[in-house]
Each structure stands twice: as C-alpha cells, then as structure tokens.
Amino acid sequence: MSKRRNHDAGFKARVALEAVKGERTVSELAAEYGVHPTMIHQWKKALLEGASDIFERGGKKKAEVDGETARSLHAKIGELAVANDFLSRKLKPWTGK
C-alpha cells in the first residue's frame, strides 16, 4: 500500500487545467502525474465551481476573523491606548533647546 501524498495547490491547478482543456484523457493525465483519475475529476470539478469566484465584484474575499481573535485584538488595542495616554501625560515634550 502506498503512502498518502499531499499535493500543493499549484500542482492541482495545473492538472485540473489540463483536464479542462481536454487534449488528453483523464487516464493519460493520471498516468503521467501519478495520481488517481478520481482525484483529477475532483480537482477539475473544484476548479470549474470556483472559477466564478475570481470574477466576483469587490475583488478578493475579506479575511474572516473569529470572535475570540477579535476580542483579544480589541483588548490589546485598549491596553496600548491606555499605555500611550499614560506616557504622553508623564513625558514632557522635548523642545531641543
């Protein structure tokens, strides 16, 4: 039994694009790249389903941040604001004279 391999996104895209072109059969591509034909069919399907996302209005998708990360970032901003306020009151501005 062979080991399970993880292919990077670039490899999957390259194989899926060749499958979409249709110049060679999926069996030929599978033999050339050493992957199972079912994987090529899955990658091709994912490529065709996700292709419309490239042309969505608004450009790239916004990064999603979970609630816990947002709360911790807001807490850190608050701490830094308090420290900045404290230091601006305690340190006298230097005039250079």
Side-chain angles (χ1 to χ4, degrees):
M1 187 166 195
S2 64
K3 286 181 139 181
R4 184 176 290 231
R5 292 180 294 176
N6 291 326
H7 300 286
D8 65 338
F11 176 79
K12 292 177 184 179
R14 188 171 46 252
V15 175
L17 280 172
E18 285 195 40
V20 169
K21 287 179 188 176
E23 294 173 355
R24 291 186 284 173
T25 65
V26 172
S27 297
E28 291 172 342
L29 293 172
E32 179 182 341
Y33 290 107
V35 296
H36 197 275
T38 304
M39 294 305 302
I40 295 177
H41 284 294
Q42 289 176 355
W43 297 340
K44 179 181 173 182
K45 181 180 176 185
L47 175 68
L48 293 175
E49 288 175 354
S52 64
D53 294 340
I54 295 170
F55 300 105
E56 289 286 324
R57 280 187 84 84
K60 296 183 179 180
K61 289 185 179 180
K62 295 179 182 177
E64 294 181 21
V65 179
D66 64 339
E68 183 61 34
T69 304
R71 281 191 288 280
S72 68
L73 291 174
H74 284 291
K76 187 64 175 177
I77 290 170
E79 290 173 23
L80 293 173
V82 169
N84 191 25
D85 185 48
F86 173 78
L87 290 173
S88 66
R89 282 187 274 127
K90 292 295 179 183
L91 297 175
K92 302 205 186 301
W94 184 67
T95 59
K97 293 184 181 180

